[in-house]
């Protein structure tokens, strides 16, 4: 591979660890650029393409965090009750227009603007009324239960930084600033195709020796979740000319091309050779199970990932190598953390040291504690295992057999927000 290509990596055939392969990919890919203005609701799941600087304070005024009374701390004692005259009421959205003088208080509801003169909110639960007056206990802290102007977002400060994924909290934050539109990164265009003479598309009966193409559907789901625009190019047979045309068409229209199958060293495996001829490519044997062979490179400005063919290997390599690359190319910055948690595994696992394994696991609660067990069958062709699972059990390179009761590392499939 050309060293100046921006796609440099170890030579073909070299075996890499998962961490090495991830680092090379993530150090190599660059944000694609491009942006558009969208209505706030449409920004969900998009990457913010410019800093949002707060045009105002949120909240705009000091206001009450509780239902109660707005008082002057100077009127209160630390160890004795105080009697105050109630001179008016402040509601959220309809304030008290006067000034709270010495010995006075204003009834106030949550969100009501702090009346002039008052500096402290006493919650109604601790107050006794005596006709027009209230009795406030001693020991109230000055400034208690007051929400300060700008304490959520301060005017002039960066409220949401460029590169942030717009999720539910960010939609709400932008709305709290009154923003009807935001600038988001252009959606990535990802072209993908399956390769294999044995593959049939859904909707027609299988001929002898055929299997339905499932990889395009798992990728359809995963790429949609990642916010990409999809170019589904169907099934391409194991023929050099057909594959070359597919690669050229994909590279001409997409930011990223994903292929599945044909990337190992069988007689009908042309992907690596083609990628090398059309562009620049690193081909790796990765010390990973499942998903050992993988190609990564580019044709012109288009990034290419040649994933293995086995359905579980496709999903493992997609989530461990491709997803974060897509997010980086989309402009996400920083990339999400991928936490691993240590949990007790309640079944034994056979494991060879020397490679990292991603087993499909199921978290479950038992006796008040969360534990994990491997899915019943683990073959790289058993796609059902992904569906049964809610996490990967990640067994590091230097680990060997797991005994029931051992702690293992777990990577969750789902986040919450
Ligand atoms: P390959 O890497 O092309 O040798 O494929 C490895 C295994 O995965 C073979 O058993 C293929 O039939 C199977 N396979 C490849 N692509 C697909 C696909 N798109 N859907 C389902 N199975 C596939
Ligand atoms: Mg094949």
């Amino acid at each position: 591979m050309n060293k100046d290509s921006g796609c440099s990596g170890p030579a073909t055939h070299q075996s890499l660890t998962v961490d090495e392969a991830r680092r090379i990919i993530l150090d190599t890919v660059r944000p694609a650029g491009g942006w558009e203005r969208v209505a706030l609701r449409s920004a969900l799941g998009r990457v913010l393409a410019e800093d949002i600087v707060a045009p105002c304070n949120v909240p705009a005024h000091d206001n009450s965090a509780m239902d109660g009374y707005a008082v002057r701390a100077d009127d209160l004692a630390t160890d004795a009750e105080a009697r105050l005259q109630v001179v008016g009421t402040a509601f959220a959205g309809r304030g008290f227009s006067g000034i709270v003088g010495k010995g006075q208080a204003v009834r106030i509801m949550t969100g009501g603007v702090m009346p002039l003169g008052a500096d402290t909110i006493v919650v109604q639960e601790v107050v006794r009324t005596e006709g027009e007056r209230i009795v406030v206990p001693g020991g109230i802290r000055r400034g208690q239960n007051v929400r300060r102007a700008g304490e959520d977002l301060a005017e002039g400060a960066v409220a949401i930084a460029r590169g942030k994924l717009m999720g539910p909290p960010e939609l709400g934050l932008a709305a709290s600033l009154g923003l009807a539109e935001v600038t988001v990164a252009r959606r990535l265009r990802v072209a993908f195709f399956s390769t294999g003479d044995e593959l049939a598309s859904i909707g027609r009966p299988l001929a002898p020796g055929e299997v339905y193409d499932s990889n395009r559907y798992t990728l359809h789901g995963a790429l949609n979740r990642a916010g990409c625009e999809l170019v589904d190019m169907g099934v391409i047979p194991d023929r050099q000319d057909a594959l070359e045309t597919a690669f050229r068409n994909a590279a001409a229209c997409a930011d990223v091309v994903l292929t599945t199958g044909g990337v190992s060293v069988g007689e009908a495996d042309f992907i690596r050779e083609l990628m090398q001829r059309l562009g620049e490519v690193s081909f790796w044997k990765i010390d990973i199970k499942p998903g050992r062979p993988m190609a990564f490179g580019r044709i012109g400005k288009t990034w290419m990932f040649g994933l293995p063919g086995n359905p579980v290997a496709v999903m493992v390599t997609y989530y461990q190598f491709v997803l974060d690359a897509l997010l980086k190319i989309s402009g996400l910055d920083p990339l999400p953390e991928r936490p691993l948690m240590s949990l007790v595994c309640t079944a034994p696992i056979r494991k060879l040291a020397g490679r990292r394994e991603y087993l499909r696991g199921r978290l479950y609660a038992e006796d008040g504690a969360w534990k994990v067990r491997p899915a019943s069958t683990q073959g790289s062709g058993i796609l059902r295992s992904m569906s049964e699972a809610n996490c990967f059990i990640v067994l590091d390179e230097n680990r060997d057999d797991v005994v029931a009761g051992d702690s293992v590392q777990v990577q969750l499939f789902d986040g919450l927000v």
Side-chain angles (χ1 to χ4, degrees):
M1 173 168 300
N2 180 348
K3 273 209 132 170
D4 304 323
S5 64
C7 195
S8 56
T12 298
H13 296 308
Q14 190 169 333
S15 177
L16 299 183
T17 65
V18 172
D19 289 339
E20 285 168 340
R22 259 184 76 84
R23 189 179 38 73
I24 292 168
I25 293 169
L26 293 176
D27 283 352
T28 304
V29 297
R30 294 278 169 262
W35 53 270
E36 58 180 320
R37 294 281 290 173
V38 296
L40 183 55
R41 284 191 185 90
S42 307
L44 181 65
R46 306 290 296 274
V47 176
L48 198 63
E50 65 181 12
D51 287 346
I52 292 182
V53 175
C56 57
N57 278 324
V58 178
H61 312 275
D62 290 357
N63 69 89
S64 176
M66 304 292 280
D67 293 327
Y69 294 87
V71 304
R72 302 151 49 102
D74 285 347
D75 291 342
L76 308 180
T78 47
D79 49 5
E81 292 183 333
R83 283 178 168 67
L84 303 172
Q85 186 77 27
V86 179
V87 295
T89 305
F91 294 91
R94 185 152 43 90
F96 172 73
S97 51
I99 297 176
V100 180
K102 191 167 167 42
Q104 295 181 334
V106 162
R107 176 93 175 100
I108 194 166
M109 311 307 154
T110 303
V113 172
M114 281 301 280
L116 283 176
D119 55 20
T120 301
I121 300 295
V122 184
V123 297
Q124 63 190 33
E125 288 80 357
V126 304
V127 168
R128 239 172 38 244
T129 50
E130 281 180 356
E132 293 288 277
R133 296 199 306 172
I134 54 169
V135 182
V136 178
I140 302 288
R141 191 170 46 79
R142 182 184 296 272
Q144 179 175 290
N145 299 316
V146 178
R147 299 194 288 218
R148 297 291 171 201
E151 75 174 16
D152 188 356
L153 301 174
E155 181 177 343
V158 173
I160 313 176
R162 167 200 177 121
K164 182 90 177 167
L165 188 71
M166 294 292 288
E170 290 72 29
L171 292 193
L173 277 178
S176 74
L177 294 168
L179 302 177
E181 288 190 341
V182 294
T183 305
V184 295
R186 176 176 69 78
R187 276 186 201 283
L188 279 196
R189 293 197 91 196
V190 181
F192 58 109
F193 52 89
S194 298
T195 72
D197 287 337
E198 76 282 28
L199 300 181
S201 291
I202 57 176
R204 68 165 177 84
L206 284 184
E210 287 187 333
V211 294
Y212 284 120
D213 169 14
S214 60
N215 289 342
R216 266 189 312 128
Y217 293 85
T218 48
L219 286 180
H220 173 92
L223 291 166
N224 258 302
R225 284 267 175 89
C228 301
E229 206 178 278
L230 309 191
V231 184
D232 182 340
M233 299 180 59
V235 174
I236 311 294
D238 292 318
R239 281 204 334 262
Q240 295 258 19
D241 57 335
L243 288 166
E244 176 164 348
T245 306
F247 265 117
R248 288 193 189 283
N249 290 341
C253 75
D255 298 294
V256 179
V257 182
L258 300 185
T259 67
T260 64
V263 79
S264 39
V265 290
E267 279 177 22
D269 293 334
F270 301 124
I271 294 293
R272 168 171 55 116
E273 203 184 302
L274 255 172
M275 280 186 173
Q276 252 154 0
R277 187 146 58 74
L278 300 178
E280 302 146 9
V281 71
S282 300
F283 174 73
W284 303 319
K285 293 195 178 77
I286 302 176
D287 302 326
I288 185 175
K289 185 186 172 187
R292 212 159 101 83
M294 194 179 111
F296 163 66
R298 66 197 294 177
I299 303 178
K301 287 187 166 155
T302 300
W303 304 104
M304 296 184 295
F305 292 87
L307 304 183
N310 275 308
V312 179
V314 168
M315 297 201 78
V316 168
T317 50
Y318 174 85
Y319 286 110
Q320 302 306 324
F321 302 110
V322 181
L323 175 59
D324 285 350
L326 293 177
L327 295 176
K328 183 167 177 193
I329 301 167
S330 302
L332 195 75
D333 183 24
L335 288 174
E337 266 109 32
R338 300 292 181 200
L340 292 175
M341 290 174 308
S342 208
L343 282 183
V344 167
C345 183
T346 53
I349 302 172
R350 306 273 303 169
K351 160 81 166 61
L352 283 178
R355 66 187 179 200
R356 190 178 299 177
E357 296 197 9
Y358 289 84
L359 289 102
R360 276 68 65 211
R362 181 94 208 154
L363 292 181
Y364 67 102
E366 188 182 66
D367 304 330
W370 285 92
K371 300 173 183 175
V372 66
R373 62 166 171 263
S376 49
T377 320
Q378 295 283 342
S380 68
I382 311 288
L383 191 52
R384 195 183 76 232
S385 67
M386 280 298 294
S387 178
E388 280 176 11
N390 55 13
C391 65
F392 286 122
I393 297 173
V394 185
L395 301 180
D396 262 344
E397 290 79 355
N398 52 17
R399 176 134 202 182
D400 49 20
D401 289 348
V402 173
V403 178
D406 278 358
S407 284
V408 294
Q409 303 233 281
V410 159
Q411 187 178 46
L412 280 186
F413 284 179
D414 284 327
L416 185 60
V417 175

